[in-house]
Structures are given as C-alpha cells and as structure tokens.
C-alpha cells in the first residue's frame, strides 16, 4: 500500500511543478561535478570589451571596426565566422565597406532576434544583405524560471511562420560541410541525423521540466564548462596582429560582446559555485557551447543530454518508492521495535546513495534521470512504514501489557495470527529465579519497603535479561520466569540463558550495595535453567490474554531452581547439551524432584566462556569450630509446609553463611535429606526457651560425619544475622571458642 500510494502522491506533486527548481539545481550540480572536458580547439571567440572600445575612442562598435576585424579574420581562412552583434542599422563610419564584406563572405553568419510566443522579447531585424544570402541565424536564448539558460534552439518559426535556423546551427553546418556532413531526416518526424548522432527535440515534460514551453526545436545544452571555456582573444589583439597568422584557420570564429557594460551576460549551470555570487557568462559563450555540441555530436558522437519518456520516469519513481518501503519493512526489527533504528536508516541512506550515484553515472553518459521525485518517494514510503510500525507497536503494547519484550512485539507485528488465543509446541530454554528467604524477610518490613526493594531488584534483573534477549514471561513476587526461544527461536538460546543467569548473579552486587545503604538485609538469589518441549502461546480469554508457557518442563525448571542456594546457578543435562563445552561446571549432582520417576543430573555453573567470558565469584567457606555449641530446634519443610516434628541439634562449626549441625536426637526420620529445606530456631542452653525468630536454611551436599549435616542459611532475622556475623568475626579474630550470650 505504501509503495503505490507514495509514488502516486509524489508524481502528482511533481506534476504541479513544485519539485522543478530542486531538480534543476541537482542538474546544475551534476553538470559542474563532471570531469573537465578538454577544450574544443575548433571553436574560438573574439571578445569585444570596454578596453577594445577605449583603444579606438568609440562608445559603440562602429561598422569600420567590425569590417577591419572581419578582413583580418577572413584572411586566415576560417571555416565560419559568426557575428553575435546586431547590425540591422548602420553604425557609421564604414557602413559601405561592411556591407561589401557581407556580400563577399559566404561563410559569414549574422544574427537576428526572432522572438516568439515562448520568448516574450522584442524582435531585432537581421542585416539585409546577409538575410538575402540566407546567412542569418536566430540568436534567441531560452531562460528557465530561475533565470538560467539550460536549453538552446536549433530552429524556430518567426512571425510569418517561416523556419529560421539558429545562429549555432548555421555555424556548425558551415564547419561540417567541409567534412562532407549534412543533415538527414530521421524515420520519425522532428528527428534528424547529423553525422553520428540522431537528434530529437525536447518535450514539455522531459527531465526535470513540467509543462515547459517547448516551442521551436530545442535541445538541452551539454555545456563544456563556464566562463572562458573556449579560447578567447580580444578584438585589439586581432587588429594589431598579436595572434598567429593562422590562428583562425579551419576554425569557427564567433565575434561577440564580453564586457559587463554591454549587458549581454547570462546565468548557466556553471554560474553557481560553492562560494561567492553566481558568475554569468557572455551570450557568445553560450552560442559557442551549442555550436561545439552540434559539431562534437556529429563527428565524435559526443552524447547529447537525453531524457526518459514520462511513463518510464513514473515507473522510476514507483521503483524507489518500493525500495524505501521494502528496505524499511525488511529491517523493521533489525534493532528491535525502534522507530529510529540505525540499521534501517543506514540502509535507507545507502539506498539514497545508490539513487544519487546511479543517476550521476547516467548523467556522465548523457542521461538526465530525475532524482528529486524518486528520492522523496524513497523517504516518504520509508516514513509511512515507520509511522505504521510505531503506531502498531503502541497498539500492541496497550493490548498485551508492559511485560512484552521487543521480540514478542516483533513477532506479533509480523504475524497478526500470533495475537489469537492458542499456542504451539516448541523447545525452549526456561530460566527461573527466586530470592532466597525473601518471603520471611518481607514479613518484617513495611509494604512500601517491600515494593521499593522488589522494584529496584527487578529493574536490575530486567535490564540484564533484555540485554541477553530473554523474554520475561512473568514476575511472581520476587521470582522471575524467563523464556529463551519464544517468540523468536535462535540457535544459541541455551548459551544466552546461561550467560544471562551468570550476569544476573553478578548484578546482585550493586543491588546489595543499595540494600546496605538502605540498612536492609542482603539479598541472595538462586537460578534454575532447563531445556525442554512446552506449549507456548496466548493463554486466557478474549478480554484478558497472557503470553506464556505450560508443560511439565516448566514445573521441572522450578524444581531445579528449588535446589539452589544463594548465588548458585543450576542447569539440567538437556541445557548443558544444548550449550556445549563453553559452560564451566563446578559440580554435578543427582536429584529426584517431585513428579520425576528417575533421578536426574543437575549441574552447578561456575561461568561461561566464548564471547560471553563471564565467571561467578568463588565464595570459599571457612568453617571455624565453636568452643560451646549453639543449641537449636529444627523442623523439616515439605515445599511450603512445615513438618509437625521438631528435632534437637547443635551448631558446632560456623562460616560466613553456613554452619555444621550435630544431630543429638537419634531419630533417623529427623535427619534431613540433602538439598532439603529446614526451619530452625535458636534456644537457650537448657532448651527450655526459644530465643530467636524463625531461621530458614538449606541442607548442603557437603559430606559430614554420621549424625551431622551442613546447612546454608537462606533467611535470617536481622538480630540473628547480626549475632552470627559478630560471632564469626570473633572466631576469625581469636581462632578460639567464644561464649556468646544469646539473650
């Protein structure tokens, strides 16, 4: 829709003529930017300026001066002499001599101003003698709306509907006659052959023109350069014999006014430079360019400025409109859902460069192909597509909520069917994370503090997850469910999931620095990762829809995460197989989660190599013995349920975050399983009073003597945490037992 709509709009805009001036400016720029052509030695100019007149004490060029100049030039045997000076009336003295020269010089061409409907200027009659001998050409110039001359006349009709050859054509034909070349009619009307080149007239809407007056037979002038492109000598130099005696032999010599006071100066494409004011050129220089163009085209086949038919130009605009739309649509998600995607706009700049470059190369071969309309079409269609993408992204975000990542939005934008309820089977890598013991901690905080902590923590984690292109499926309190492979599946999903998990654990450092500033407990996070086949899609109703996953492998991921302690990343065997050898494994363990018939292997991740090169910090636990054990009572946890049985124990060794517990109850059922969770309370020495709030811990796999087990604290009340920290620091300082009063 964007391609034809924008193309049609630009074509209509072009037909109004509003783009015409911009196209002319580019045409002039292309012409000035071409490599400099060699000077055409077949053409020379005798320029008359104010100094020539002052040398002769004349205010205007007299007939005697002109006659003397013609005699000097005629003696050098040029092929043609053109006088770009009006001589419809005598300018004494020497009129008779000048008339005699006119009558006896067959290769002399004078001028007249024909005028016409397309040039509203007064006419100027030709010299009568030259008119009778058909040695007069029209020197009319055509000016575009910006007052520049880009077109030249080959012939035109006068008021009596008689065809009058242009001044330049007369001179060119005189030169080519000696080469045995004369005009021949082409197969089509108004087409004629001159030597190696077929000439056709300019139409009203050729190139950058829009409904211009194409009266007469017009050509685009293929200028060789700006001012003084052709060899120019002064009238005084010729009269005083300061030029070689054969200087004019076999050349076309044009005589014209070049002084500023003569008001015979005009602007052409070469008149404007990068700096300074526009520099006009003399009218005789323009006629010299057109004469050179006709001769060069006939003898060497020098290209004319050609244009495409208007329907082909319309297709050209349509093509670039399609290019802008296609590039934008193809790269619509190159940088996510981003209206100002660097890749997309870089590709559009490249396409614009190709457009400008190709048209410039075509111009070097003589083709004027429109640039401004296709460039506007390119940008316009890209802008329309970008606006559509931006609007659609807003609608999708409003529909599906703020939980969506750029990848989800991209999938929904690309596949409208993806917005419907339903799902598909797909192998995903699933990541779950949870803060250890945060529920117990949050019970002691005000709701506002809990929300502040969660928002800060989840904000940091979301940035990491987004960086590794994970899809956040859900925030569940302090837990996060992240998908890798939905909605967009990639070959490195498992690798990115592990790298993301390691980066999340590393991001806990700045989080806990902020916790310390807020005087709040330190946070610890566990992460589980598993790869398996699930059903992913839109779940819910027509009123409320959620993009999510369901399946046994989702539950298994939660089970794996439940085995973690703070700072750990545990992955399943299937994830390890997908990620390959770049994963650094610290330990392997066999577990049998609830709902799984056979034990499975899970692996503790220490880091990931390759392009990620991430390593988790190694916490070395140093256990120090206590001189006097710390008595406690503990109960086993089954999920979130606390067991009814209570067992006795004593902490006999302590580390920064863990402890060694000695069981003294003798009940085998009370010995906790490895990696299970327990709730404990510290009690008085005689075990008659409970002296602490609930403390939660996980049983470690670290081997211990019979009746003993290692645990890692997962949630400690602030008072208990402070006392344990002080006790451990004391143990480290004195390396001996310390008796601490727990009351």
């Amino acid at each position: 829709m964007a391609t034809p709509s924008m193309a049609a709009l630009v074509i209509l805009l072009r037909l109004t003529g509003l783009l015409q001036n911009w196209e002319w400016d580019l045409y002039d720029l292309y012409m000035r930017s071409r490599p400099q052509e060699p000077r055409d030695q077949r053409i020379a100019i005798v320029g008359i300026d104010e100094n020539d007149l002052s040398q002769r004490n004349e205010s205007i060029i007299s007939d005697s001066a002109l006659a003397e100049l013609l005699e000097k030039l005629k003696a050098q045997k040029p092929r043609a002499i053109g006088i770009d000076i009006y001589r419809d009336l005598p300018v004494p003295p020497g009129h008779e001599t000048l008339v005699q020269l006119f009558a006896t010089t067959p290769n002399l061409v004078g001028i007249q101003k024909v005028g016409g409907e397309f040039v509203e200027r007064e006419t100027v009659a030709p010299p009568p003698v030259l008119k009778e001998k058909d040695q007069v050409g029209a020197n009319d110039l055509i000016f575009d709306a910006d007052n520049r001359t880009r077109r030249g006349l080959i012939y035109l009709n006068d008021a009596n509907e008689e065809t009058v050859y242009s001044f330049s054509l007369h001179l060119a034909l005189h030169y080519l006659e000696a080469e045995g070349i004369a005009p021949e009619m082409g197969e089509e009307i108004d087409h004629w052959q001159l030597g190696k080149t077929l000439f056709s007239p300019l139409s009203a809407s050729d190139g950058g023109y829009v409904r211009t007056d194409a009266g007469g037979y017009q050509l685009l002038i293929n200028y060789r350069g700006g001012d003084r492109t052709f060899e120019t000598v002064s009238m005084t130099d010729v009269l005083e014999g300061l030029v070689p005696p054969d200087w004019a032999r076999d050349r076309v010599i044009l005589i014209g006014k070049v002084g500023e006071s003569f008001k015979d100066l005009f602007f052409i494409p070469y008149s404007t430079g990068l700096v300074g004011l526009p520099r006009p050129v003399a009218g005789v220089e323009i006629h010299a360019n057109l004469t050179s163009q006709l001769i060069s085209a006939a003898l060497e086949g020098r290209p004319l400025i050609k244009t495409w038919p208007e329907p082909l130009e319309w297709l050209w605009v349509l093509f670039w409109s399609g290019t802008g739309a296609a590039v934008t649509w193809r790269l619509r998600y190159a940088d996510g859902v981003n209206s100002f995607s660097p890749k997309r706009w870089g590709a559009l700049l490249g396409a614009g460069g190709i457009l400008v470059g190709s048209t410039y190369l075509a111009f070097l071969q003589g083709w004027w192909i429109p640039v401004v309309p296709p460039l506007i079409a390119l940008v316009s269609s890209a802008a329309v597509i970008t606006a559509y993408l931006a609007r659609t992204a807003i609608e999708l975000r409003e529909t599906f909520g703020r939980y969506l990542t750029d990848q989800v939005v991209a999938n929904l934008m690309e596949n409208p069917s993806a917005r419907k309820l339903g799902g598909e089977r797909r192998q995903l890598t699933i990541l779950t994370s949870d803060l250890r013991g945060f529920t117990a901690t949050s019970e002691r905080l005000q709701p506002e503090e809990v929300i502040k902590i969660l928002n800060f923590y989840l904000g940091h984690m979301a940035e990491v997850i987004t960086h590794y292109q994970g899809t956040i499926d859900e925030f569940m309190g302090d837990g996060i469910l992240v998908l890798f492979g939905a909605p967009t599946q990639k070959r490195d999903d498992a690798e990115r999931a592990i790298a993301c998990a390691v980066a999340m654990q590393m991001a806990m450092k700045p989080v806990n620095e902020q916790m310390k500033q807020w005087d709040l407990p330190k946070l610890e996070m566990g992460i589980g990762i598993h790869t398996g086949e699930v059903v992913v899609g839109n779940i819910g109703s027509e009123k409320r829809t959620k993009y999510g996953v369901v399946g046994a492998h989702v539950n298994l991921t939660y089970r794996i995460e439940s085995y973690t302690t703070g700072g750990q990343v545990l992955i399943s065997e299937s994830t390890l197989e997908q990620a390959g050898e770049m994963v650094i494994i610290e330990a392997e363990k066999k577990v049998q989660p609830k709902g799984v018939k056979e034990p499975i292997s899970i692996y503790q991740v220490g880091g990931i190599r390759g392009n990620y090169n991430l390593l988790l910090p190694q916490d070395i636990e140093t256990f120090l013995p206590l001189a006097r054990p710390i008595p406690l009572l503990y109960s086993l946890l089954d999920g979130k349920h606390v067991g009814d049985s209570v067992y006795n124990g004593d902490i006999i060794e302590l580390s920064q975050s863990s402890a060694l517990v000695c069981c003294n109850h003798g009940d085998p059922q009370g010995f906790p399983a490895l990696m299970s969770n327990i709730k404990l309370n510290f009690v008085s020495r005689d075990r008659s009073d409970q002296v602490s709030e609930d403390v939660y811990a996980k049983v470690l796999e670290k081997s211990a003597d019979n009746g003993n087990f290692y645990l890692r604290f997962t949630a400690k009340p602030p008072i208990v945490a402070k006392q344990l920290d002080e006790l451990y620091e004391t143990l480290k300082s004195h390396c001996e037992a310390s008796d601490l009063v727990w009351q």
Side-chain angles (χ1 to χ4, degrees), residues 40 56 74 88 141 166 175 248 290 357 524:
D40 190 348
R56 303 182 63 87
K74 184 177 178 181
D88 55 323
L141 295 178
S166 72
Y175 186 91
L290 186 52
E524 289 189 320

Side-chain angles (χ1 to χ4, degrees), residues 341-379:
S341 161
K343 289 182 180 178
R344 185 162 65 245
W345 289 108
L348 288 172
L349 285 175
I354 292 173
L355 167 60
V356 174
S358 62
T359 52
Y360 177 71
L361 292 175
F363 191 80
L364 294 181
Q365 302 302 315
W367 287 96
W368 183 13
I369 301 173
V371 181
V372 174
L375 190 60
I376 293 177
L378 173 78
V379 175

